[in-house]
Amino acid sequence: MTQTLHSYDPQELSTYLEQHVAGFSGLAEIAKFSDGQSNPTYQLTDTAGRRFVLRAKPPGTLLKSAHAVDREFRVMTALAASAVPVPKMLHLSGEASPMGAQFLVMEHLNGRVFWDPALPEQPPKFRQGVYHALVRTLAALHDVDPNAVGLADFGKPGNYFSRQVSRWTGQYRACETQTRPDMDWSIDWLERNMVQDDGQTSIVHGDYRLDNVMFDSQTAKMIAVLDWELSTLGHPFADLAYQCMGLRLPQDGMIKGLKGIDRRAQSLPEEADYVAQYCDLRGIDPPENWAFYMVFSFFRLAAILEGVLHRAQSGNASNPRGIDTMSHSIATLAQAAKHTAQGRPS
């Protein structure tokens, strides 16, 4: 299933970029990255051979607050001087742009993105280095003071999880493609077992996983955290649980996981060790109510993928894949949420 997402005049886009992006010398080539589901992302090459990255909202009718490239631009700009590696932001367009949608332009980085969390082609020491980099960077992100980097108003006050369950339930209902009893059960459980607001607030990425970060082309050094469209101010354990969810996901889903792999034998992290390392890095106590955070993570990802499925069926997804596969993954996540709530293996 292929499609053209944006209609644009290359000359008009070239002129615009020359006027708004410092150092851009005219558009020689534009090529869409094939991976990714949400905001279409393009590699730009100018007439001097320099490369840039353009990330745009998809065209068409979008859910409220979805595909927020302006939030991506703002948070990465704010984090530029922090310990969290981010690409340099170069320009943010308005809604009326040559692409027909708002977009940002950022520097192009030469690095690697790993799509299989098992890292099967890498040696054990490299795998350990990658996951150590993941947890160190997550801890560093959550230690950034939002006020100090100009993000004091980047999220709403109050119980983050209550807001998120309400938001994603609404998003899920708005694009529900079929009845999913496990999803309905999990939504009800989350509402009945809502955790109290403990006052912890940090910048949260919202989609922190291995394939949303970039590593050096030769080493396990992380050089960029990408895909910030779901970022906000919220509870740090949401990001931590979301990262740990990947340890529990099956290997054949829309988002690959490590379920069924002997992680110690493969030099991959055990969930308890990963959480303990994160807490040690931040000097905090281990999280209570861990089951709630995990249920929330499964539910939220299922709701996000339901939106992707809805767009795919409407012909408006950035990288549509098999609809049956996507629907199966949503069902798997909803079942995992229910089983986790019930204390059964997910």
Side-chain angles (χ1 to χ4, degrees), residues 211-222:
D211 57 19
N212 277 340
V213 302
M214 180 177 286
F215 288 86
D216 176 77
S217 59
Q218 300 296 325
T219 71
K221 178 184 178 182
M222 189 188 297

Side-chain angles (χ1 to χ4, degrees), residues 3-8 13 17 24 27 29-35 38-45 51-59 99-108 317-318:
Q3 57 191 296
T4 300
L5 285 172
H6 292 101
S7 297
Y8 57 91
L13 179 60
L17 293 171
F24 195 89
L27 182 63
E29 183 180 6
I30 178 170
K32 183 179 177 296
F33 290 101
S34 61
D35 297 302
S38 189
N39 289 334
T41 305
Y42 302 84
Q43 178 178 284
L44 310 175
T45 305
R51 289 183 291 178
F52 304 79
V53 173
L54 183 153
R55 187 165 163 85
K57 289 184 178 182
M99 298 290 286
Q102 188 174 38
F103 65 81
L104 63 80
V105 180
M106 58 187 172
E107 71 171 325
H108 180 278
S318 173

Side-chain angles (χ1 to χ4, degrees), residues 63-64 167-177 306-307 310:
L63 291 172
K64 183 180 178 181
R167 174 192 174 184
W168 288 108
T169 298
Q171 298 277 50
Y172 173 75
R173 297 301 185 200
C175 56
E176 193 171 5
T177 60
E306 189 77 10
H310 177 78

Side-chain angles (χ1 to χ4, degrees), residues 11 32 51 69 76 81 83 118 126 163 230 243 252 258 273 287 345:
Q11 185 55 55
K32 183 179 177 296
R51 289 183 291 178
V69 295
M76 284 189 278
F126 187 92
R163 295 197 314 272
L230 296 174
Q243 175 67 51
D252 60 352
L258 297 175
D273 295 338

Side-chain angles (χ1 to χ4, degrees), residues 230-288:
L230 296 174
S231 60
T232 187
L233 296 188
H235 201 291
F237 290 162
D239 269 349
L240 180 62
Y242 187 86
Q243 175 67 51
C244 289
M245 178 181 63
L247 305 178
R248 303 187 184 191
L249 290 174
Q251 300 170 54
D252 60 352
M254 290 291 297
I255 297 175
K256 282 180 171 289
L258 297 175
K259 184 176 182 180
I261 293 176
D262 185 341
R263 295 200 288 273
R264 289 199 185 279
Q266 297 298 319
S267 297
L268 297 166
E270 294 286 352
E271 184 175 306
D273 295 338
Y274 193 90
V275 173
Q277 185 179 3
Y278 169 89
C279 293
D280 287 345
L281 286 165
R282 298 198 62 216
I284 62 175
D285 293 330
E288 300 178 359

Side-chain angles (χ1 to χ4, degrees), residues 63 165-188 191 299 303 306-307 310:
L63 291 172
V165 170
S166 176
R167 174 192 174 184
W168 288 108
T169 298
Q171 298 277 50
Y172 173 75
R173 297 301 185 200
C175 56
E176 193 171 5
T177 60
Q178 66 182 78
T179 300
R180 302 184 189 276
D182 286 347
M183 196 67 167
D184 296 335
W185 189 98
S186 298
I187 290 170
D188 180 67
E191 291 172 345
F299 148 76
E306 189 77 10
H310 177 78

